[in-house]
Amino acid sequence: MNKSRIKWWPQYLAAITATLSMATSGSHIGWTSPILPKLKSSESYMPITSDDASWIASFVLLGSIPGNIIAAFIVDRLGRKVCLLLAGIPLTISWILIIVAWCPYVLYVSRFIGGIGLGVAYVVCPMYIGEIADKEIRGSLGSLIKLMVTFGELYAHAIGPFVSYECLAYSCAVIPIIFFLTFSWMPESPYYLLMRNREDKATYNLKCLKRYATEDQLEEDIEQMQKTVLRDLSDKGNIWDLFNTPGNRRAVVISFGLQLVLQFSGLAAIESYTQEILEEADTDLSAGIAVIVLSVLQLIAGIGAAALVDRLGRRPLLLVTTLLGGLSLTVTGTFYLLKHYVLANMTGFGWVLHASVIFYELIIALGLNPLSYMMLGELFPTNVKGAAVSIANMWASLLAFFVSKMYQVISDSCGVYTSFGWFAVSCFLGIVFILFMVPETKGKSLLEIQEELNCKKKKQQKCGKNNRKIHVNTLA
């Protein structure tokens, strides 16, 4: 099919407005970095203890778990677009409660409610983008998910150190308002509409998403979507169907494995304690400014990921970024080992700590972080995608909460260098997992990905030869 006249900007516009929900989630994640030190200071109007601070930071992760479960029940009933708009409601309510909070318990509730919206958004947004995007740009659009989370974190990090508690909350509340005003005008996923037997509306939405496409091109795309939907819905999916076919079982192992590698690389802990970690460097650069620099570099890396993922492919980016992440964590752990265990004088070498931590978050933002979430929208068939993405995100939330809590426990009992050693080893083991388990999905339609996942390795060549026959049989 000649796609030279097709304009992709409507798909980019839909993806950008949809991922404003992720930017709102990112602002909730980034809010703790500049605010907790202010609340813990002697000048705080609402003094909190270190234990209060740890719960304020982690309640958003706990809240995301029921959010994941709720999303699994509503995403195929209400649609991708409506569910994303609903996710914006608790994300907005959370900011309102933060503004009026008078004690730590109100902040606990606000963070938990925000986590519910975050959990729904993390499930639905990858599904929406995976279903509206052409295969040529699906990787780029999928990378916007983590890019916008990073933008939200940067937004909070950049404003927080220079304004009051209330001013930062008001500033962050602007993002969900923009999300409601813009995404409300975007089209629903054509895949979902076909699931509901609304072919005319699906064709209309597809035409909106693919400007200047000919009638033949639209008809071919709708036919391809119908093949996927008909095959996926021939047996209505439930949670147990995740394990009924080889393709689904393999997709579960891949998605859970990628999240295990990502979370055990220490991402949640390092993001939660970034300022405290960087303060160990004892350099002239303040930790607050270093966090802002880090967030800017993460945003640049996210843009780079969006540009590279459809050029280099998923596997190369996963392998390279996981390897480099493991090496940078090794450097960080070695710095702490020399400083706290060997008791070496590290004066003048604080820049090594800054560089290694910043490089870790930069390189992870370039590949492992966005791809672990983006591929959720590619690996599962339509009939189980809602349940699969929900469970995968719930798994990620549990791992993130576990890592955040255990980081402090292990650091206090065995030393910070032990925690970073754990993170580094996890990255190196993750390389083996990616090498042998994760397939390349670059340039493949959702139907082609499902066919590959359901073909055993030794039979893939035979399956490839029979693809045309399989297509015809599915359509029939």
Side-chain angles (χ1 to χ4, degrees):
M1 177 170 58
N2 182 15
K3 297 193 175 185
S4 58
R5 295 183 66 250
I6 296 177
K7 302 300 181 183
W8 284 325
W9 66 262
Q11 296 178 35
Y12 278 99
L13 180 62
I16 291 171
T17 55
T19 51
L20 283 174
S21 62
M22 306 306 294
T24 306
S25 301
S27 65
H28 277 284
I29 296 170
W31 174 82
T32 56
S33 180
I35 288 301
L36 289 183
K38 292 184 178 182
L39 293 178
K40 291 168 70 175
S41 70
S42 58
E43 300 176 355
S44 172
Y45 82 97
M46 184 174 55
I48 64 172
T49 65
S50 295
D51 185 60
D52 291 331
S54 67
W55 283 111
I56 291 171
S58 60
F59 255 117
V60 72
L61 296 171
L62 291 178
S64 67
I65 296 173
N68 297 152
I69 298 172
I70 292 170
F73 282 103
I74 66 176
V75 69
D76 287 334
R77 291 175 172 84
L78 303 181
R80 285 53 164 149
K81 177 182 174 180
V82 172
C83 287
L84 268 183
L85 290 172
L86 289 176
I89 296 175
L91 288 169
T92 305
I93 292 175
S94 178
W95 287 123
I96 295 173
L97 289 175
I98 287 173
I99 291 170
V100 303
W102 61 90
C103 70
Y105 297 103
V106 178
L107 288 180
Y108 294 170
V109 174
S110 69
R111 296 286 287 170
F112 187 85
I113 292 174
I116 293 174
L118 184 149
V120 174
Y122 262 80
V123 170
V124 180
C125 199
M127 295 176 65
Y128 179 78
I129 291 179
E131 292 175 358
I132 68 163
D134 279 357
K135 62 183 180 181
E136 290 84 0
I137 60 170
R138 193 172 59 242
S140 298
L141 296 189
S143 297
L144 288 173
I145 295 171
K146 295 305 295 183
L147 176 64
M148 292 298 269
V149 172
T150 303
F151 170 77
E153 292 177 8
L154 171 60
Y155 186 84
H157 290 165
I159 297 175
F162 309 107
V163 299
S164 66
Y165 170 94
E166 293 85 358
C167 186
L168 177 59
Y170 279 115
S171 300
C172 290
V174 170
I175 303 178
I177 294 174
I178 297 174
F179 166 67
F180 285 122
L181 293 176
T182 56
F183 186 63
S184 299
W185 302 96
M186 295 300 110
E188 177 59 275
S189 161
Y191 276 90
Y192 169 75
L193 294 171
L194 288 174
M195 289 172 59
R196 292 298 184 180
N197 295 318
R198 299 169 63 185
E199 184 175 344
D200 291 341
K201 182 64 174 177
T203 303
Y204 175 79
N205 283 9
L206 185 63
K207 188 173 183 179
C208 292
L209 291 166
K210 303 180 73 167
R211 295 295 176 91
Y212 303 116
T214 65
E215 292 298 324
D216 289 340
Q217 291 171 335
L218 292 174
E219 183 178 346
E220 183 178 340
D221 282 341
I222 286 291
E223 183 178 309
Q224 178 86 342
M225 291 180 185
Q226 285 176 327
K227 292 176 185 178
T228 305
V229 172
L230 284 173
R231 189 182 71 173
D232 293 342
L233 299 183
S234 59
D235 179 21
K236 183 62 178 176
N238 56 58
I239 190 171
W240 302 114
D241 288 331
L242 287 173
F243 309 98
N244 282 349
T245 67
N248 286 351
R249 289 193 293 270
R250 188 179 175 195
V252 168
V253 171
I254 293 168
S255 58
F256 274 51
L258 286 177
Q259 285 296 336
L260 184 65
V261 175
L262 173 63
Q263 301 303 336
F264 270 34
S265 74
L267 182 65
I270 294 173
E271 287 184 342
S272 299
Y273 297 94
T274 301
Q275 190 157 328
E276 291 183 23
I277 291 171
L278 295 179
E279 283 174 351
E280 290 281 346
D282 297 325
T283 63
D284 294 333
L285 181 65
S286 70
I289 298 300
V291 170
I292 295 175
V293 172
L294 170 59
S295 299
V296 172
L297 292 176
Q298 280 185 297
L299 187 64
I300 295 172
I303 296 172
L308 292 175
V309 68
D310 282 322
R311 294 178 181 270
L312 301 181
R314 282 60 158 165
R315 275 172 56 86
L317 272 179
L318 284 170
L319 289 168
V320 171
T321 56
T322 305
L323 172 62
L324 294 178
L327 292 174
S328 62
L329 290 168
T330 301
V331 173
T332 304
T334 302
F335 179 92
Y336 276 111
L337 181 69
L338 292 174
K339 181 175 182 178
H340 295 296
Y341 185 77
V342 180
L343 301 180
N345 183 6
M346 301 303 291
T347 303
F349 294 96
W351 62 269
V352 175
L353 179 61
H354 275 185
S356 60
V357 172
I358 289 175
F359 182 76
Y360 161 77
E361 296 216 35
L362 176 67
I363 203 67
I364 292 299
L366 192 62
L368 180 60
N369 195 351
L371 290 174
S372 297
Y373 289 94
M374 187 206 76
M375 293 186 73
L376 290 177
E378 297 182 322
L379 294 174
F380 293 98
T382 307
N383 65 324
V384 297
K385 189 177 292 184
V389 176
S390 297
I391 294 173
N393 279 282
M394 187 163 56
W395 169 246
S397 298
L398 286 170
L399 289 175
F401 178 75
F402 174 79
V403 171
S404 295
K405 283 296 182 183
M406 290 307 297
Y407 168 80
Q408 194 64 58
V409 173
I410 293 174
S411 297
D412 290 343
S413 59
C414 304
V416 181
Y417 47 85
T418 306
S419 295
F420 278 94
W422 163 30
F423 300 156
V425 170
S426 298
C427 285
F428 296 135
L429 292 177
I431 294 171
V432 179
F433 172 80
I434 295 167
L435 192 61
F436 289 101
M437 292 299 300
V438 179
E440 180 57 76
T441 59
K442 171 189 171 185
K444 296 175 183 176
S445 68
L446 299 181
L447 179 62
E448 290 168 341
I449 294 171
Q450 287 307 306
E451 288 172 349
E452 180 178 341
L453 287 174
N454 281 283
C455 291
K456 293 182 180 179
K457 187 174 181 181
K458 63 183 180 180
K459 294 182 179 179
Q460 281 182 0
Q461 185 175 359
K462 180 179 178 181
C463 291
K465 291 179 180 178
N466 292 332
N467 270 348
R468 183 173 300 176
K469 182 177 179 180
I470 292 173
H471 290 177
V472 174
N473 289 342
T474 305
L475 181 60

